[in-house]
Amino acid sequence: MSKAEKKVKVAVIGCGVIADFHVKALNAIDDCEIAGVYGNLPEQCKEFAEKYNLKVFTSMEEVFSSDCDMITLCTPSGTHAEISVNAMKRGKHVIVEKPLALTVEECDEIIETEKATGKICAPISQLRYSDNVRQVKKAVEAGKFGKLTLCSVYMKFYRSESYYAGSWRGTKKMDGGGALMNQGIHGIDILRYIVGNVKSVQAKVSTLVHNIEVEDTAVAAIEFDRGALGVIEGATSVMPGYPRRLEICGEKGSLAMEEDAIVKVDVPDLDLKISKNDAENFKDPAAFSFEGHRRQFNNIINAVLGKEKLEYTSKDAAETVKLILSIYKSSETGERVYL
Ligand SMILES: NC(=O)c1ccc[n+]([C@@H]2O[C@H](COP(=O)([O-])OP(=O)(O)OC[C@H]3O[C@@H](n4cnc5c(N)ncnc54)[C@H](O)[C@@H]3O)[C@@H](O)[C@H]2O)c1
């Protein structure tokens, strides 16, 4: 088979909520094929494999010694670093769901292992593949807002007690954090994508209504490298929950997004389509399309085949994790934290 015809063989690890999105997205890409699936719950794994007509791997070792080129990691966040590092050391590229990992040390180990093995560890941030998010980023880069002044993201979500009950979600070890590290990371990552890196944070996080080890309510005042200020709010404690709201404001104009819709544009010479948000994923975490994943996987598969540069790297994802960890540190110490 010539290089142009080579398909990247991907093994799916984990068979829960997000694994469905991964299988649908991979099935929609010509240059890859699914090698099979492995999950640590054999019954669930068998059922998942039957649903999509996939081969079942019965252990991680079987995946590592197979001829697959890549794994895609749909397992709880606390497993990401160890499995990613082991996979790269066994010669596999990795796609890893958000968050990349739960500590600075874990993020650094992933980045070091990529360098040492020459393998890719590609983290997921599917909102970076939204047309609207990209248009807003482009407008910022073209100077349409003038000097940016206030750039904020508000994520007032609701999750029920049953969402957390008996699950890895809400635990320190496997979730690493709550409303920010799990649910809010998407909004925080696109804020960084559009505005740039954050220089310092002053924050307070609390666990107000859920019986969990991590925060369900958080607020941070942030200062970007470029000088703009902003606010990050994240919660799973707000009934009934509101759509994620992103506000980019500057000396020449301002804009607001709700979920993926641009709902307000007051920027001179910026012709963006205004629409009404109808997404429900601020209430139901599985109520979104797999299109964002498909677009990002397309870039990742092309990067593995040497056809494109990898757009979203582990280094970039690590900055988002480090920002969230800085928010936790500021809350713990009461001090402003410099990144
Ligand atoms: N990008 C997104 O929008 C998005 C949405 C939801 C979840 N996620 C992320 O995806 C990951 C999984 O979340 P989920 O909601 O699908 O969880 P889930 O609990 O529904 O599924 C987790 C799966 O992993 C399996 N598993 C657990 N430990 C394992 C191990 N050591 N080896 C092999 N399999 C193992 C479980 O059996 C289960 O099948 C999390 O990191 C989460 O943050 C991302």
Side-chain angles (χ1 to χ4, degrees), residues 15 17-18 40 44 76-77 80 97-98 126 168-169 186:
C15 322
V17 175
I18 204 62
N40 67 348
Q44 184 199 45
S77 310
H80 291 179
E97 261 302 340
K98 58 82 190 165
Q126 75 268 20
W168 60 272
R169 298 182 188 93
H186 293 290

Side-chain angles (χ1 to χ4, degrees), residues 162-171:
S162 63
Y163 167 84
Y164 292 109
S167 153
W168 60 272
R169 298 182 188 93
T171 65

Side-chain angles (χ1 to χ4, degrees), residues 324-335:
I324 294 169
L325 294 172
S326 300
I327 291 174
Y328 295 156
K329 192 169 169 202
S330 171
S331 180
E332 248 174 64
T333 59
E335 306 277 328

